[in-house]
Amino acid sequence: MSIERHSCSLLALSFCIFVSTIANAQENIDVVLVSAQKRVQNVDDVPISVGVIDSETLDVISAAGEDILFLAARSPSLYAEASSGRTYPRFYIRGLGNTDFDLNANQPVSLVYDEVVLENSVLKGFPVFDLDRVEVLRGPQGTLFGRNSPAGVIKFESAKPTETFEGYGRVAYGSFNSVDVEGAVSGPIAGEKLTGRLSLLTQRRDDYVDNSFSGGEDGFEEFFEFAGRAQLLFKPNDRIETLLNIHGRRLDGGSRLFRANIINPSVGGLVSGFDRRTTAQDATQVLEVYNFGASLKTEIEFDFGTLTSISGYEQVGISARGDVDGGFGADFAPPVGTGSIPFAAESADNITDQDQFTQEIRLNFAPSQSLNSTIGGYFFYEKLGIENLSFDTLSGGIENGRAIQDQETTAWAIFGSTEWTVSDRITLQGGIRVSGEDKSFIAERLIGPFGTGALAPVRKDLDDLVVSGDASITYALSPSTNIYARYARGFRAPNVQGRIVFGDAVTVANTETIDSIEGGVKGSFLSGIGRYSLSGFYYQTNDQQLTAVGGAGNFNQLLNADEVIGYGFEAEAALSPIAGLDLTAGLSLNETKINDPDLEVGVCTIGCVVLDPVNPATNNALIDGNALPQAPRWIANSTLQYAVPVFDGRGEIFLFTDWAYRSKISFFLYDSAEFQDENLIEGGVRVGYRTTDDRYEIAAFGRNITNDTSIEGALDFNNFTGFINEPRVWGVEISSRF
């Protein structure tokens, strides 16, 4: 017994020496500040599962001009994909998202850019540049953010004007003649009272997919993008602060490249011999996007609290035209390829008119030393005009179908949230929000393809009044560790869909609500050189809004499922064990299940192997028990950065590598042998030299360095068409800060 006790004492002593050595070798890890509750807090004190991606990591993982989809799998429970090129991202949190490709889709993940909600999905594709951080708020955010955030919120926080003169410039060149130029300048304009910041981004890439079809475009996947942001911060005194933000974007490039018959029939996965560098298509590829927006944020400090007003305006337009069949010709009009093309399909979706106005006013105040409260109101208005077109590819791309949609949405809300510090260890929080929604929609088919003719205007009017909210308790186990439990209710507003250029159906989805419970622990370890968070959750949605994509044709149909349940966990950790070494890791599990024994959807018409039971009366698949589409069970990510001082400490050589993994996904509500992808794993590397003061840096980088080729989505109404992830890219980058 004495030997055993002595051995344990030696182990304990060794561990203490190890911890002490590490703690002395490195300073404490930085505190992470977030505004998840619309006030600045330590992330460990927020009773929400929150992931944070800092500016340095953003710069690395967006190298080579990647669009906003680079965020996919970069934070636990977060996934993203798109079928519309470098715009219109579709985000998923905890398995909840929307595969709808229509331009008036309701997404359950809200994107908030500098405190302004970007509702239209094309707005959500605004480029990521000169940011301070990205916050991923997981789970319903129905109190402070309201409508269309039942899955969560992604918050983008731009770098703000500074009182001292500073700036940076970055130029990168990579594969396919990719050029990525970004820069910003910030500083005083009229002393400390008026400061400004100007941020610019330009990106371009040559086509890298050769077109072997004679008479078609030379190649695909090229683009040119320009974006800018100008900010003016006015501080007339210590109590008033006004920030004007003006921003815009211009994108020209090809739409999403669909590839005919790249999926193995009856098996799934890519066909043997697939080459991502070649295709054969006869249709025109167009993607043109413009975006202009402005916001004005004013904060006034009173003795009793802070009054904040945020006014936002956004306008966006898009012209998107693509080869939907992914090949050339048709089975009945040879030559045809690649593989079987039952009918030629080329279509376009355009936003011809869009205006969004938002206004939020809130007051944060402390009624007593133990209470902190926020009350406010919110107003949203959007006018949206959409044009849907079809073209006869076999006759030279002549327009043969045209439909229009007009939609007007008005929403309002009043909300309140209070935090009560009961003791040094216990904090209670609760909030409530009352939201109203009115939406009018009208669709009309002017020209019908395939001889279907026109369709008289179809009108739908939707409205609802919803109560949402949350309640939580936080308990401090120690000065460095908090545990919390949270209940939250969120909702997705009712929506209507009617892309009637190809069909006659105008479908409606009623309001979706979600009830969620989660608990977690957050804190630091190893004397403050490490940080971690662990959360577990369970949710149930009622009248879950789902989108039946394809099957019957090139359109979407909305439907409500009785309920969807989901559960899982998120784990994150960051560690700086020795000077110069920084590690991060994240892991999540998401299980989702549709519960509706009567719910059925159309399936592919091209002979795919449907794995669900089929209703013999309708030939539709019964999807009760299925997981949600585009909802990977596992998501994992990690980063490693190591820097070694050189030249007597005047500079350092560094290595940065990052990895992201997502497990199997299904593309549609029904399960089939073909329309799924087993997994995706993408890695990046960056090696370079920088001066100790960060003034100069030169680096070589690689993205998707293993050249993973994975299917991200598919079309099921014509052939085994799919679209894939971004290719491997190598490049070099030079940057300077001043």
Side-chain angles (χ1 to χ4, degrees):
M1 293 289 292
S2 60
I3 295 176
E4 187 178 44
R5 284 197 299 269
H6 185 64
S7 299
C8 291
S9 299
L10 286 175
L11 287 173
L13 178 60
S14 300
F15 180 75
C16 291
I17 293 173
F18 171 72
V19 171
S20 176
T21 302
I22 290 180
N24 290 330
Q26 176 67 302
E27 297 180 357
N28 288 355
I29 200 165
D30 292 337
V31 172
V32 176
L33 300 178
V34 297
S35 56
Q37 299 188 110
K38 298 194 174 181
R39 54 193 174 95
V40 178
Q41 295 174 278
N42 184 332
V43 69
D44 292 342
D45 297 331
V46 178
I48 301 172
S49 178
V50 181
V52 179
I53 306 174
D54 61 31
S55 59
E56 183 176 8
T57 303
L58 288 170
D59 289 343
V60 173
I61 63 179
S62 64
E66 292 197 33
D67 63 9
I68 197 171
L69 292 181
F70 70 74
L71 292 174
R74 297 295 171 178
S75 183
S77 292
L78 176 65
Y79 185 58
E81 50 87 26
S83 59
S84 301
R86 294 177 61 84
T87 189
Y88 200 139
R90 297 187 291 236
F91 284 96
Y92 305 77
I93 295 179
R94 292 181 174 174
L96 294 172
N98 191 355
T99 57
D100 195 334
F101 57 77
D102 280 320
L103 295 172
N104 64 328
N106 255 10
Q107 300 291 345
V109 177
S110 181
L111 263 69
V112 179
Y113 220 119
D114 292 328
E115 298 200 63
V116 174
V117 173
L118 303 183
E119 177 63 21
N120 186 272
S121 295
V122 179
L123 288 174
K124 294 178 181 181
F126 193 81
V128 175
F129 63 101
D130 194 27
L131 293 188
D132 178 65
R133 66 188 182 277
V134 173
E135 301 175 16
V136 181
L137 284 56
R138 309 180 187 102
Q141 307 298 320
T143 300
L144 295 177
F145 295 92
R147 66 192 294 274
N148 296 352
S149 62
V153 171
I154 304 176
K155 292 180 77 274
F156 298 83
E157 295 289 341
S158 299
K160 299 300 187 289
T162 55
E163 294 182 358
T164 57
F165 181 73
E166 65 176 49
Y168 72 93
R170 177 172 61 84
V171 179
Y173 178 81
S175 305
F176 320 121
N177 285 326
S178 300
V179 178
D180 185 8
V181 180
E182 179 182 331
V185 60
S186 178
I189 298 175
E192 297 180 354
K193 291 188 176 182
L194 182 63
T195 58
R197 188 179 189 96
L198 177 64
S199 312
L200 298 173
L201 172 75
T202 183
Q203 299 173 326
R204 67 168 302 277
R205 180 176 69 190
D206 286 349
D207 58 71
Y208 70 87
V209 180
D210 294 329
N211 187 7
S212 62
F213 178 76
S214 177
E217 295 189 33
D218 291 336
F220 303 104
E221 299 285 32
E222 76 284 3
F223 67 85
F224 172 80
E225 178 146 43
F226 176 80
R229 183 188 305 115
Q231 300 177 83
L232 290 175
L233 180 61
F234 179 52
K235 293 182 179 180
N237 54 53
D238 293 338
R239 288 182 172 262
I240 299 176
E241 179 176 301
T242 297
L243 177 65
L244 174 65
N245 181 321
I246 300 174
H247 50 271
R249 173 196 195 191
R250 178 71 189 188
L251 169 66
D252 292 289
S255 58
R256 192 56 147 142
L257 182 59
F258 300 116
R259 302 167 185 253
N261 297 305
I262 66 171
I263 301 173
N264 257 320
S266 305
V267 178
L270 290 165
V271 295
S272 177
F274 172 76
D275 181 4
R276 67 157 64 236
R277 299 291 300 273
T278 63
T279 189
Q281 302 189 9
D282 56 1
T284 302
Q285 298 275 18
V286 175
L287 179 61
E288 298 177 352
V289 179
Y290 71 87
N291 175 204
F292 170 81
S295 65
L296 185 67
K297 177 181 178 181
T298 300
E299 290 188 318
I300 305 176
E301 295 281 352
F302 296 99
D303 292 338
F304 57 84
T306 302
L307 180 67
T308 303
S309 170
I310 304 168
S311 305
Y313 172 77
E314 298 290 336
Q315 183 183 70
V316 68
I318 180 174
S319 297
R321 179 174 175 176
D323 193 336
V324 180
D325 61 70
F328 61 89
D331 292 348
F332 62 88
V336 59
T338 303
S340 172
I341 310 287
F343 59 91
E346 180 183 358
S347 62
D349 295 297
N350 307 323
I351 291 180
T352 57
D353 180 32
Q354 192 273 348
D355 293 281
Q356 174 191 295
F357 173 75
T358 57
Q359 175 65 54
E360 179 172 324
I361 298 177
R362 64 177 185 263
L363 175 66
N364 179 255
F365 61 101
S368 68
Q369 286 188 337
S370 62
L371 294 175
N372 187 292
S373 298
T374 299
I375 58 173
Y378 179 77
F379 176 79
F380 171 90
Y381 172 80
E382 183 190 45
K383 181 178 68 173
L384 178 62
I386 299 172
E387 180 182 54
N388 308 121
L389 302 172
S390 173
F391 304 93
D392 183 359
T393 305
L394 302 178
S395 300
I398 299 173
E399 179 184 316
N400 69 349
R402 185 169 184 263
I404 56 174
Q405 304 173 42
D406 289 294
Q407 181 174 292
E408 190 170 5
T409 305
T410 302
W412 59 268
I414 54 174
F415 59 89
S417 179
T418 294
E419 181 182 273
W420 177 26
T421 305
V422 180
S423 67
D424 292 341
R425 289 181 176 267
I426 300 175
T427 302
L428 302 178
Q429 183 170 315
I432 190 170
R433 187 182 187 105
V434 179
S435 305
E437 177 105 3
D438 288 284
K439 179 175 293 184
S440 64
F441 173 90
I442 186 169
E444 180 181 5
R445 187 167 66 221
L446 306 177
I447 305 171
F450 316 118
T452 55
L455 184 67
V458 179
R459 184 182 182 92
K460 298 288 183 179
D461 293 297
L462 312 175
D463 64 88
D464 205 355
L465 185 70
V466 184
V467 178
S468 56
D470 69 313
S472 65
I473 179 172
T474 304
Y475 181 77
L477 288 175
S478 70
S480 62
T481 304
N482 289 335
I483 61 173
Y484 74 93
R486 177 177 186 253
Y487 162 80
R489 165 166 277 217
F491 76 98
R492 188 161 25 152
N495 199 37
V496 58
Q497 210 54 277
R499 194 169 183 260
I500 57 175
V501 68
F502 294 109
D504 297 342
V506 174
T507 54
V508 172
N510 297 322
T511 300
E512 162 195 314
T513 59
I514 181 173
D515 293 283
S516 168
I517 55 173
E518 73 175 63
V521 56
K522 302 180 179 184
S524 59
F525 60 96
L526 292 180
S527 302
I529 65 169
R531 184 177 59 253
Y532 72 96
S533 65
L534 176 65
S535 61
F537 62 87
Y538 174 89
Y539 64 77
Q540 176 181 310
T541 68
N542 296 308
D543 293 324
Q544 170 80 43
Q545 293 183 17
L546 300 175
T547 304
V549 178
N554 187 15
F555 53 84
N556 297 316
Q557 297 186 70
L558 301 181
L559 45 95
N560 289 102
D562 284 347
E563 71 172 23
V564 170
I565 61 170
Y567 59 89
F569 70 83
E570 291 116 8
E572 293 182 276
L575 177 65
S576 299
I578 59 174
L581 178 61
D582 297 299
L583 306 167
T584 71
L587 177 69
S588 64
L589 167 69
N590 288 273
E591 297 278 8
T592 62
K593 181 182 179 182
I594 299 171
N595 287 333
D596 191 331
D598 300 321
L599 193 61
E600 58 182 60
V601 298
V603 299
C604 58
T605 58
I606 52 177
C608 72
V609 179
V610 177
L611 304 178
D612 295 319
V614 174
N615 183 343
T618 61
N619 289 322
N620 291 338
L622 299 168
I623 62 172
D624 181 51
N626 284 2
L628 292 173
Q630 296 285 359
R633 188 181 185 204
W634 293 100
I635 287 176
N637 52 80
S638 65
T639 67
L640 179 152
Q641 179 172 236
Y642 185 56
V644 179
V646 294
F647 304 133
D648 296 325
R650 295 192 301 273
E652 61 183 18
I653 295 174
F654 64 87
L655 165 69
F656 189 105
T657 183
D658 61 284
W659 293 87
Y661 168 84
R662 66 116 173 100
S663 60
K664 181 179 178 180
I665 54 173
S666 179
F667 303 143
F668 303 114
L669 289 170
Y670 67 91
D671 287 336
S672 70
E674 296 90 351
F675 295 118
Q676 56 182 277
D677 185 73
E678 283 300 318
N679 58 67
L680 177 147
I681 180 166
E682 292 184 342
V685 65
R686 182 182 180 88
V687 181
Y689 168 82
R690 60 178 164 238
T691 56
T692 304
D693 59 5
D694 288 334
R695 188 178 181 101
Y696 300 104
E697 179 178 308
I698 182 170
F701 64 83
R703 306 304 307 162
N704 190 13
I705 58 177
T706 61
N707 203 26
D708 178 287
T709 303
S710 297
I711 307 171
E712 293 189 331
L715 304 177
D716 68 344
F717 61 87
N718 195 1
N719 55 58
F720 291 100
T721 292
F723 50 91
I724 62 174
N725 62 330
E726 288 289 291
R728 176 168 56 197
V729 171
W730 300 105
V732 294
E733 180 180 292
I734 300 174
S735 63
S736 175
R737 295 184 177 273
F738 51 88

